[in-house]
Structure formats: C-alpha cells, structure tokens
Amino acid sequence: MTDAHTAGPFIAAIDQGTTSSRCIVFDKDGRIVAVDQKEHEQIFPKPGWVEHDAKEIWTNVQEVVDGAVSKAGITSADVKAIGITNQRETTLLWDKNTGEPVHNAIVWQDTRTAELCRELGRNVGQDRFRRETGLPLASYFAGPKIRWLLDNVDGLRERAEAGDILFGTMDSWVIWNLTGGVNGGVHVTDVTNASRTLLMNLHTMAWDDKILSSMDVPAAVLPEIRSSAEVYGEAASGALQGVPVASALGDQQAALFGQTCYAEGEAKSTYGTGTFLLMNTGDEPVNSYNGLLTTVGYQIGDNKPVYALEGAIAVTGSLVQWMRDQMGLISTAAEIETLALSVEDNGGAYFVPAFSGLFAPYWRDDARGVIAGLTRYVTKAHLARAVLEATAWQTREIVDAMTKDSGVELTALKVDGGMTSNNLLMQNLSDFLDAPVVRPLVAETTCLGAAYAAGLAVGFWPDTDALRANWRRAAEWTPQMDDDTRKREYKSWLKAVERTMGWIEEDSKE
Amino acid sequence: MARSIQSLERAAAVLRLLAGGERRLGLSEIASALDLAKGTAHGLLRTLQQEGFVEQEPVSGRYQLGAELLRLGNSYLDVHELRARALPWTDDLARSSGEAVFLGVLHQQGVLIVHHVFRPDDSRQVLEIGAMRPLHSTALGKVLSAYDPVAHSEALDAGMEQLTSRTLTDAAEFEKELDLTRARGWAGDVEETWDGVASIAAPIHDRRRMPVGAVALTGAVERVCSDAGNAELRADLVAAVRDCARAVARDLGADRF
Ligand SMILES: Nc1ncnc2c1ncn2[C@@H]1O[C@H](COP(=O)(O)OP(=O)(O)OP(=O)(O)O)[C@@H](O)[C@H]1O
Ligand SMILES: [Mg+2]
C-alpha cells in the first residue's frame, strides 16, 4: 500500500498473536504502509494442553520487524516509536542470565491448571480473588500457570527464589529481548497485561502480596508494572535499532484503543482465534455479577487508568480452523461462508465449541464441545451454519451480561478481526443481537491501537481526539430477523449449551 | 458426426490409465496397455508433460498425473476467499480516495456485488453485498466483459437496456468500449447506469491471467470526473483503482506485472 500519499514519519506496531506475529507500519493518518507476518507452531502435547516455543516467537518477531521495515522502504530514522501488543495470559519463565526459556510458553487456551484453580479456590471457590483482581479463578489466567511451572519444572522454584528466573507474558518477553535481553533488557509489563495474571490488585495497580503468597509465587520473578503508553527503552538491534519502545497493551485492549472507544459506555468486539467484547467503564472498575471480567482498558502515561468490562469467548475463529484442519470440510477459512450459504438454515443443528471449557458468562472448566440436534437430515453445510451461528450466539450471551452489569443498552456493536470479512457471520450477529453491527475502515485495530498508544507516548499524535478523527465506518449490517425466530433459536442454543456442562468429571480431571 | 482426432483420443486414454490407481507407470507398461508403439506413447507423454498434465519421476522414470490437472479442476476461486484477500486493499482504496469501493464477479447475466466498502464520510449508506448490476453499463460489468469471454456473451444475451441517456445500447459501440477497456486496462461508467454517478473499475487477475473479479470505485460524478463537462475520469483515481486491483492480484499469487 505504499504510494505517493504516504510520507513519513511512521509508527511501527508489533502484534505477537496466538497464531502469528506481525509487524505493521502506520502513517500519521493511521493508514497501513507495510505489513509482514509469520505463523508459529501450535504445540499440543496432550488433550487440553497448548504451548508455544518462545524462542521461535522471538525469531519471528525479529523477522517481521525487519520485513515490514524493508517492505515499507524506510529506515529506523523514519520511525518515531514501536508499539507492542500481544496474546494475553500466555505465560513464560526464562533464565535472566542466559535468556533461555525454562519451558515452552503455556498458552492462554491451555487447561492444565483447572484442578489447581479448584484447589486455590479453597472453600470460597472461583471468586476467591475476584474483589482484588476482577477475575474468577480459571485456568485461562497467568498466575496459576506460573505456579504450575514452578511445581513441575525440576529445580525451578529454587532458581526462582534465588532471583535467576523472570516471568512474563509475551509483551514482557518481546520487550526484554527487544531492549537487549541479557545485555540490559528491561523487565516490564503494562497494566493491561498485568491485570490478566490474577496477581495484580486492580485498585492499586500493584502486585498483591496476599495473593502472591496464597498462590506461592515469589515476587522476585515478577516484572515491573508500568503504564500502557510510555517509553520503556530503546530497540537494541535489528532494523529499528535505537527507536523507542513506547507502548504495550494486551491485544484486546489494543483493539479497544484502536477502535477509539475512549468514552465510557463505548464497546468493541474482536473476532479472531477467540472473541473478546470490551466496554470502556471509565475510571472506576465495575464489578460483574454476570460472569464478565473486570479488567484494565488502558493507562496513558501518568493519566488515571481506564477500566473495562470484558466478555471472553475462547473458541470462535479457531472453530473455523478446526473445520478446516481437523475435519477437512473446507480448504480455507473463508470457504465456511460458501458452504454455509449452500443451505437456508442450520437444519436444526447447534454447535457449542467448548473445546477448553466455557469462558464467559459460565466459566466452566468441566464443559466440552457438543453438536446438538443431529438428525439424518443434517449435512456438512448445516454444520457450517451452526459454526458461524455459534460465534454469533456466544456474542449475544455476552452482550446480555454486559447490559445487566453496566446498565448500558447496546445501540450498535463495533467489530474487527479476521472473521469480520465473513458477511454471513456479520449478518447473523446483527440478527441475533437485534442491533446494528459496524466495521471500521482499518480491520487491523489491534496493531493500530498499539501504534496509537506508542504515538501518543512520543508526541506523534497530540491526544485521543486526533485519533478519534481517524475512525471511519466501512460497513454496517442491520437486523433482518423476526423476533419469534430469534427467540426460538436462542432458546435452542441455550439448551445446547446446557448439554456441554459437567462432561469432565471430578476424578478424571487432569 | 465429426471425426475425432486420434492423438487427442490417445492422450485421453493415457490420462485415464494414469488416473486408474495410485500406481505410477513406466513407458513400456503404458505402451502395451494401450496397444501403442513405444515411440508413439513417448511422443504423447512428452507433450502431456510439457503441458503439465503428466509428471515423470526423476529416479525411476515412471509417469504420473501432473499438478496442472488438479489446478484445472480447482481453478475456480471462492468469492469469499476473494473478499477476505481484498479487504485490506479495498479499505485502503476507500480511505485514500474518499469514495465507496465494490468488488464484483460474473453471476448469471450480471455482476454480483461480493464486497462493499462505504464511502468514508459517515453518511448513512446501505450495504449492497448480494445485489446484481448490469454487465453492459457498469464499469465492473465492462471490465468483466472485456476480459472474460463468458461474461462477454452473457452481456450480449442479456440485452442492452437503456438506463440513462448515456447508456450504450448499440452492440458495435459496446465492442469498441471493450476494445478500449482491454487497451488501457480499466473501464469507466460516467452516468451510464445512474444519473449523477460515475465509476472506475479494473480487473483482478489470478496467476493464470484469468479475471477472477473486478474492483470499482463509485461516487458522485462531480468528484470522480476531472472536468466541468463530467466526461474525463480523474487520472489519480484510475491509478488508485488499478493499484488496488494489482495488490489483490498479488495477494492471490498472480505474478508481478
Ligand atoms: N472469512 C472467514 N470466515 C470465518 N472465519 C474466518 C474468516 N477469515 C478468517 N477467519 C478466522 O479468523 C481467525 C483469524 O483472525 P485474526 O487474524 O484476527 O486472528 P487473531 O486471533 O488475531 O490471531 P492471533 O491470535 O494470531 O493474533 C482464524 O481463526 C480464522 O479461522
Ligand atoms: Mg490478534
């Protein structure tokens, strides 16, 4: 997309995602100048376990940064800042003297800590740390993953207590390496990533000593918690050597920022591997009584942190990938729409993809996937419909919870992410929500948000109003489903969800 | 009944034989199975190999079906894949031009809109995905008719209805317009479909130089044309549309051109 209209200077954003790492170079109008992207291996050592090779990820990050800069035909002198965004909760411990990971990174989807979480709940249960952290005790979050590593990697606890081991989510890993690694790399994380560990107190923005001792995690491994937009250090090598590293945000918070949801009540939903709906709740954390998470939205430099309510769905785009890779029913993700459009409806089938339990609003580790309503009549095309509808119904459940917790009625849903290129899905969403669905002009809002935050930190953009002016509507879907059909279908969906629960029984749990 | 061509018949027999199982076959096996002289069989196989329909294993020298056959069967590009690949580029075109952008493919006797990016001015607009447009009057339709022979004949069969005072309704004039489109690589529609609306379209080629669809920019004639008489389409917009089409083509794996 390089052409005469785009002139420097630029901001580079690194998105270290679940399936790939990418780097995008943006100009002042928020236009994409160049992109480079590389997938990494998904390692599945056992059912329910998901790991990444952190060394591979760091190599890929270096490659895509160099790739994007070279495709843009620019040099480090043209780039004012680097922004970082990342898959959240994915947990890594590494040796600070050698830079070597002590184990593969444990990915957010991994359920190996389900039993540990139950133990940690003691007699209180899932909500033991909710008041401090805004989160239920679930295998999704980082803290229990750290504990698992300390318990299961030989000799690790001693090394950690001796101060030789560093913990980080992928933001910390990328920033530490980018700023020099064993040669002076900075060990930091931002408030949004820290708010996903179950270890940070939402009200003080600091590690919570009580929880650390309950979870038996030594404070020595933890990074310093910083704001989402400030200069943490400079790139020590590569095509962007010397450029300030000036933002870090979890990918979903970055998308919230990229969608310019800067006012209380504004919300976005991102459709990628999973789906995450976040609503800005201003400078007060709002407690959820309906299975949502209370989390940090962003914090710009010395400003007050902005909080968000979040509805998290574990499996949406990855269900489409499953149809492609495991079932072989389609050859590209986009073909799911072609297959689905070959029939009129779902033929009575409902697909609840509780592959790693159910996230919001249920938080049930013991749930597993179900296809309900099967008859002899159902074809693969009906299943394709059911796959897309699963994403839309799961969104509906979260929107309902959001309305209850926030008291804000949704007037329109801002969407982004890879699945928004699916027209049928977007129409389903609008139909099931009975509200308009709006896609912005830049679908890469995750990278854009990281770029915006980094640009604010170095004065490339003056304020959030300037960023808001860049937002443009690219498409809008409006509801076309009648009320009766919507009610009937929702009821069937909820029945199917019920059938997923309690599949894993206490004593067979890992 | 017309006499059939013997060498084509024999080539077909070779392909059928090779398709018959997992096995790879040597030259003499093929020759004897089809009752051909070795030299004749070898000639057939060499030609089929040049066309990519047959491949020879380097070590054993045995023959098997070639990748080109697979490609023939799958050459059709899924329109949803086309939309997904085109999305970032069409977004960028809408942003840089300030106009609405469409992606169209041939469907029956018209153009099917498979992707639509709003004009980025926050005005109320309705998504037109799934709508049909005429082949003879729209820029998208002209591009498809100029590059795809099937679209060409559909355009003629559909009849050329007069939609505005500027619509081309004469077949000879339409042919001249398609020649012009091929010569310059893009097509225009200045108030030929709707009064007050102008459009510019360019073809999206796949790696075999087949047009898999077309991308168009559409807007008010005063903005899309450069002169007071509203006849000349703006050169910078033409360039932007063509850049977009090329970027999508590159993403689909077409060679750089
Ligand atoms: N047209 C489509 N229809 C349905 N699903 C799609 C379509 N295109 C992409 N997807 C799905 O969207 C996901 C990719 O989207 P995206 O790149 O936004 O993911 P992501 O979650 O950001 O990835 P990462 O975690 O690596 O950052 C994949 O799971 C893919 O199956
Ligand atoms: Mg992502």
Side-chain angles (χ1 to χ4, degrees), chain A residues 1-3 5 29-32 332-335 337-339 341 420-424 439-443 448 452 470-478, chain B residues 76 78-85 87-92 94-96 114-127 129 236 240 243 250:
Chain A
M1 289 178 228
T2 33
D3 60 35
H5 304 289
D29 297 332
R31 276 184 73 189
I32 293 175
T332 67
E335 268 177 38
E337 189 173 354
T338 311
L339 185 55
L341 284 172
T420 56
S421 74
N422 191 309
N423 188 63
L424 178 61
R439 179 177 86 78
L441 206 42
V442 175
L448 188 63
Y452 278 174
N470 278 342
W471 193 95
R472 294 280 182 285
R473 182 192 316 260
E476 175 164 351
W477 292 266
T478 48
Chain B
Y76 147 86
D78 187 278
V79 297
H80 301 107
E81 180 69 13
L82 175 63
R83 182 199 297 136
R85 300 291 190 101
L87 195 116
W89 310 103
T90 46
D91 273 7
D92 194 59
R95 181 183 275 268
S96 67
V114 296
H115 181 48
H116 175 189
V117 185
F118 287 172
R119 188 174 62 250
D121 62 4
D122 285 335
S123 62
R124 267 216 92 67
Q125 295 163 71
V126 175
L127 207 58
I129 295 173
D236 59 328
D243 277 348
R250 260 200 307 279

Side-chain angles (χ1 to χ4, degrees), chain A residues 287-307:
Chain A
N287 287 327
S288 175
Y289 301 96
N290 294 285
L292 301 178
L293 310 175
T294 307
T295 199
V296 182
Y298 54 89
Q299 181 186 17
I300 302 305
D302 296 334
N303 295 335
K304 275 193 190 170
V306 170
Y307 293 89

Side-chain angles (χ1 to χ4, degrees), chain A residues 15-22 37 40 42 87 108 251-252 270-274 276 316-322 324 332-337 388 416-423 425 443-444 446, chain B residues 80-81 83-84:
Chain A
D15 176 4
Q16 199 304 292
T18 308
T19 53
S20 72
S21 303
R22 63 194 117 183
Q37 178 168 355
H40 55 263
Q42 305 294 317
Q87 51 167 325
W108 56 273
D251 53 6
Q252 299 309 322
T270 302
Y271 293 87
T273 307
F276 303 86
T316 56
S318 54
L319 178 57
V320 176
Q321 277 168 330
W322 181 86
R324 184 192 64 191
T332 67
E335 268 177 38
I336 191 91
E337 189 173 354
L388 296 177
D416 52 65
M419 293 182 95
T420 56
S421 74
N422 191 309
N423 188 63
L425 172 62
E444 286 288 352
T446 302
Chain B
H80 301 107
E81 180 69 13
R83 182 199 297 136

